[in-house]
Amino acid sequence: AQSVTQPDIHITVSEGASLELRCNYSYGATPYLFWYVQSPGQGLQLLLKYFSGDTLVQGIKGFEAEFKRSQSSFNLRKPSVHWSDAAEYFCAVATTSGTYKYIFGTGTRLKVLA
Amino acid sequence: DSGVTQTPKHLITATGQRVTLRCSPRSGDLSVYWYQQSLDQGLQFLIQYYNGEERAKGNILERFSAQQFPDLHSELNLSSLELGDSALYFCASSGGATDTQYFGPGTRLTVL
């Protein structure tokens, strides 16, 4: 069955530190991959997406993610975190065979220390 | 701002009641998706409509139904409400049936 795992429920980093949020997926075919961010009380905002091609994708707000097929991973990174990055981050896989739908991970809540 | 609008922002109602949530997709988008976000279940896909037709179903209860109208807005109807239906309900839209989804701000439903 298709699934998305975000192993870290909570992550705390200091402002200015680098960040990596992990995402692993289980899906038989080539997936479409996404990262969304949700601030408290807000909807989900698309950070970046991977469909094909270059495995390192750049997104908004200085985020990037790297697709590693051999590891079934799509980790999100940012070289220097800002206090405004505190939010919940969701990784999602879109199933491309059969019914097209998103499967979301359980989310990682990021806390940024001043 | 994603361009997807949802009304109302908040809804408080009682068990056994029926409510309707409304979603207007981004201009030109033909696909609308509904999701439920709760603390214990996370983000769950409920249903997708594409150009007025039901396209895919997820974990949608029989008490819930949806439709997409000719002007492409969509409504999610929740009936015989239970305490456990309290959640954030998100609508998302995409241009085609398999494109990137853009999410609305959500409707927070509280069932008392």
Side-chain angles (χ1 to χ4, degrees):
Chain A
Q2 305 114 352
S3 65
V4 177
T5 302
Q6 292 180 247
D8 305 304
I9 298 175
H10 297 279
I11 280 188
T12 300
V13 300
S14 297
E15 191 170 20
S18 63
L19 173 70
E20 182 168 28
L21 302 183
R22 295 182 291 164
C23 173
N24 292 95
Y25 66 89
S26 172
Y27 183 60
T30 302
Y32 293 170
L33 296 158
F34 306 84
W35 275 99
Y36 286 84
V37 60
Q38 184 180 26
S39 297
Q42 303 294 314
L44 281 76
Q45 180 182 23
L46 179 69
L47 283 177
L48 46 78
K49 60 187 177 185
Y50 172 79
F51 283 5
S52 65
D54 192 348
T55 57
L56 184 63
V57 293
Q58 302 297 321
I60 62 170
K61 305 185 180 189
F63 284 93
E64 66 177 27
E66 186 171 12
F67 170 55
K68 292 186 178 179
R69 186 187 303 275
S70 61
Q71 298 176 20
S72 297
S73 70
F74 189 56
N75 294 348
L76 182 71
R77 301 193 294 249
K78 186 169 184 177
S80 177
V81 169
H82 187 261
W83 65 266
S84 61
D85 294 324
E88 189 149 22
Y89 292 79
F90 291 92
C91 179
V93 164
T95 58
T96 55
S97 60
T99 302
Y100 179 80
K101 63 177 182 179
Y102 277 28
I103 300 170
F104 282 89
T106 49
T108 297
R109 186 168 294 280
L110 173 66
K111 183 176 179 180
V112 180
L113 301 176
Chain B
D1 185 357
S2 66
V4 179
T5 61
Q6 290 186 248
T7 56
K9 280 190 190 296
H10 303 277
L11 200 46
I12 302 175
T13 188
T15 54
Q17 294 298 304
R18 173 190 169 93
V19 297
T20 297
L21 314 183
R22 182 188 168 104
C23 168
S24 293
R26 295 185 318 159
S27 177
D29 282 359
L30 298 178
S31 245
V32 169
Y33 310 77
W34 285 98
Y35 291 85
Q36 180 193 58
Q37 185 180 38
S38 61
L39 284 174
D40 55 344
Q41 296 286 325
L43 258 168
Q44 298 284 319
F45 166 70
L46 295 178
I47 196 164
Q48 177 198 2
Y49 277 81
Y50 177 75
N51 203 21
E53 300 288 326
E54 182 183 303
R55 182 75 177 231
K57 256 183 174 175
N59 302 322
I60 189 166
L61 299 172
E62 285 193 13
R63 300 183 284 109
F64 296 0
S65 64
Q67 54 185 326
Q68 187 179 27
F69 295 86
D71 67 352
L72 301 177
H73 90 271
S74 178
E75 292 180 356
L76 179 67
N77 300 295
L78 314 176
S79 61
S80 302
L81 284 168
E82 303 175 358
L83 296 177
D85 297 326
S86 296
L88 258 174
Y89 290 85
F90 287 109
C91 165
S93 76
S94 67
T98 59
D99 292 339
T100 301
Q101 297 178 27
Y102 294 88
F103 283 75
T107 293
R108 181 170 292 281
L109 173 67
T110 302
V111 182
L112 301 176

